[in-house]
């Protein structure tokens, strides 16, 4: 009995030991599998982190390239805008050259009454004598700007303590009128788009264009200029190609709307070609101002008019020596009107 009991106890012990060994083995196997699973998960996490970092790096590189491309696009757009401004200025020059030649031919074929023999432009006789104020006035005027040359002109005017008037168009440098206005010069209106075929097609087109440049100026300096100059002047004959009699009507209509239009009686002829020599510009002004009272001098401040800038100090010195004072145009200034040819 005692022997059977011992055998049973031994078997029970062996079973317990075996069970314990099985449990230990199972724990070892589970632990190994768990460790392997954890290690595999950590590897996946590390791999995904690496992918995330790679994607973030690629994103940053793309963002940097995009910013660089946007900067290049902006730079190219500015270059295109500048080129467009130069093209428009050159187109304006071509039109003005044609106009000047047409006026000169018209002058040669017309009667000499009502003209100064030293000038090719028909003008009112009232322009030939100065009002009784004891001195003569010179109104320096610049068309078709502003451009970078405008800033150089402003520097010269400031140094010479002289005032001028700028008949502006819708160039990419229109913001420069803030300085023109701040330094006491007159900001006047010329055109938004200096294209004869469009603005002289009909009266509606003309006034739409005039309102467009007026609004741009008002947005920049807070005023609506009432002094204007017709592209080509009121005497232009080019407008006949687009609308017969339009200048006869416009010269009346602008005044009815409260505008004062201003032509000129001294032409520097700086628009008669590219790079007209500064000596020729000065000579023309000396010739056409001879014997006159108040004068209104036509010049241009486009990007191409470097020789006008070069001639300006000598122009001011010469006219000052002839007894002229340099004033900016106002609605009360001497009237400078050409004879209307259309």
């Amino acid at each position: 009995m005692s022997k059977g009991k011992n055998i049973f106890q031994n078997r029970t012990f062996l079973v317990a030991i075996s069970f314990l060994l099985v449990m230990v083995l199972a724990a070892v196997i589970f632990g190994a599998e768990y460790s392997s699973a954890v290690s595999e998960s950590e590897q996946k996490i590390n791999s995904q982190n690496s992918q995330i970092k790679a994607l973030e790096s690629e994103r940053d590189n793309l963002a940097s390239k995009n910013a660089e491309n946007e900067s290049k696009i902006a730079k190219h757009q500015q270059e295109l805008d500048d080129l467009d401004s130069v093209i428009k200025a050159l187109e304006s020059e071509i039109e003005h050259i044609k106009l000047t030649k047409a006026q000169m031919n018209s002058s040669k074929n017309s009667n000499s009454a009502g003209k100064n023999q030293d000038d090719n432009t028909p003008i009112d006789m009232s322009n030939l004598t100065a009002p009784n104020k004891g001195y003569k006035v010179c109104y320096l005027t610049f068309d078709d700007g502003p451009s970078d040359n405008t800033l150089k002109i402003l520097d010269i005017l400031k140094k010479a303590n002289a005032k001028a008037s700028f008949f502006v168009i819708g160039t990419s440098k229109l913001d420069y009128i803030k300085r023109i206005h701040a330094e006491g010069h007159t900001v006047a209106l010329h055109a938004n788009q200096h294209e004869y075929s469009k603005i002289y097609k009909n009266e509606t087109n003309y006034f739409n264009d005039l309102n467009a440049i007026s609004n741009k100026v008002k947005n920049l300096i807070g005023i609506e200029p009432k002094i204007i100059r017709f592209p080509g002047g009121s005497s232009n004959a080019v407008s006949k190609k687009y609308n017969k009699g339009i200048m006869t009507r416009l010269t009346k209509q602008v005044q009815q709307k409260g505008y004062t239009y201003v032509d000129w009686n001294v032409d520097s002829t700086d628009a008669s070609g590219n790079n007209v020599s500064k000596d020729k510009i000065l000579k023309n002004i000396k010739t056409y101002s001879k014997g006159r009272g108040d004068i209104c001098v036509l010049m241009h401040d486009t990007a191409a008019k470097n020789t006008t800038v070069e001639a300006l100090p000598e122009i001011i010195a010469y006219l000052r020596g002839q007894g002229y004072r340099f004033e900016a145009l106002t609605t009360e200034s001497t009237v400078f009107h050409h004879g209307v040819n259309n």
Side-chain angles (χ1 to χ4, degrees):
M1 186 72 177
S2 176
K3 185 177 179 180
K5 185 178 180 179
N6 288 335
I7 292 172
F8 176 76
Q9 289 176 340
N10 289 335
R11 284 179 178 176
T12 300
F13 177 75
L14 289 172
V15 169
I17 292 298
S18 296
F19 179 77
L20 182 60
L21 289 173
V22 169
M23 292 299 291
V24 170
L25 181 61
V28 170
I29 293 172
F30 177 77
E33 289 179 351
Y34 176 78
S35 177
S36 175
V38 169
S39 176
E40 184 178 348
S41 295
E42 288 178 343
Q43 289 178 357
K44 287 182 179 179
I45 290 171
N46 290 335
S47 176
Q48 289 175 347
N49 283 336
S50 295
Q51 290 179 0
I52 290 171
K53 288 181 179 179
L55 289 171
E56 288 177 341
S57 177
E58 185 176 352
R59 178 201 64 196
D60 293 341
N61 288 334
L62 288 173
S64 176
K65 289 180 180 179
N66 187 49
E68 183 179 347
N69 287 334
E70 287 180 350
S71 177
K72 288 181 179 179
I73 290 171
K75 181 180 179 181
H76 290 325
Q77 186 59 50
Q78 182 60 49
E79 290 174 349
L80 287 172
D81 290 343
D82 290 342
L83 286 173
D84 185 57
S85 178
V86 170
I87 289 170
K88 287 182 178 179
L90 290 173
E91 288 174 344
S92 175
E93 273 189 49
I94 291 170
E95 291 286 356
H96 194 85
I97 291 169
K98 292 178 180 177
L99 174 67
T100 301
K101 289 180 178 178
Q103 288 177 333
M104 291 175 71
N105 290 333
S106 175
S107 252
K108 290 176 182 178
N109 296 327
S110 62
N111 295 328
S112 60
K115 299 179 185 178
N116 185 298
Q117 296 302 314
D118 292 327
D119 195 356
N120 289 314
T121 305
I123 59 172
D124 283 350
M125 294 299 289
S126 59
N127 294 341
L128 300 180
T129 57
N132 186 24
K133 54 181 176 285
Y135 60 90
K136 298 183 295 184
V137 177
C138 171
Y139 300 99
L140 299 172
T141 67
F142 299 90
D143 287 9
D144 300 348
S147 73
D148 287 337
N149 272 336
T150 307
L151 300 183
K152 298 175 184 177
I153 289 169
L154 288 172
D155 288 340
I156 294 169
L157 294 172
K158 188 174 184 179
K159 185 176 181 180
N161 192 28
K163 299 302 179 188
S165 303
F166 295 81
F167 290 86
V168 301
I169 65 173
T171 75
S172 61
K173 309 289 187 179
L174 192 59
D175 191 64
Y176 290 169
I177 67 171
K178 292 178 181 178
R179 181 179 167 190
I180 294 173
H181 180 61
E183 295 186 1
H185 306 289
T186 293
V187 177
L189 306 177
H190 197 35
N192 185 48
Q193 294 183 318
H194 200 294
E195 298 178 47
Y196 294 97
S197 61
K198 292 182 180 179
I199 62 177
Y200 290 138
K201 183 177 181 181
N202 53 56
E203 288 93 321
T204 299
N205 278 18
Y206 175 79
F207 283 108
N208 284 343
D209 181 86
L210 185 64
N211 289 336
I213 186 62
S214 179
N215 290 336
K216 288 180 180 180
V217 170
K218 183 180 179 182
N219 289 336
L220 288 168
I221 61 175
I223 62 171
E224 296 180 63
K226 291 301 178 182
I227 299 176
I228 67 172
R229 173 171 286 162
F230 294 108
S234 65
S235 61
N236 84 80
V238 177
S239 56
K240 284 183 182 179
K241 292 167 55 179
Y242 312 111
N243 191 318
K244 188 175 180 180
I246 191 170
M247 295 312 304
T248 298
R249 299 190 298 274
L250 284 178
T251 51
K252 296 175 182 176
Q253 290 173 15
V254 293
Q255 293 179 91
Q256 291 168 358
K257 291 179 181 290
Y259 291 102
T260 297
Y261 76 87
V262 179
D263 290 312
W264 59 90
N265 63 354
V266 175
D267 189 351
S268 69
T269 71
D270 64 349
S272 62
N274 290 327
N275 298 315
V276 177
S277 72
K278 74 180 187 70
D279 292 335
K280 184 176 181 180
I281 291 172
L282 179 60
K283 180 181 178 181
N284 289 333
I285 290 175
K286 287 180 178 180
T287 298
Y288 298 145
S289 64
K290 185 178 180 181
R292 292 193 167 172
D294 288 359
I295 58 174
C296 188
V297 181
L298 173 66
M299 292 180 282
H300 296 78
D301 59 331
T302 65
K305 300 306 174 187
N306 298 317
T307 54
T308 301
V309 176
E310 294 171 7
L312 186 57
E314 293 182 50
I315 292 170
I316 294 173
Y318 170 76
L319 292 175
R320 185 164 274 157
Q322 298 300 306
Y324 285 99
R325 295 187 186 182
F326 299 94
E327 297 181 1
L329 285 164
T330 72
T331 55
E332 304 300 319
S333 300
T334 304
V335 174
F336 297 90
H337 284 174
H338 291 171
V340 177
N341 291 320
N342 177 28

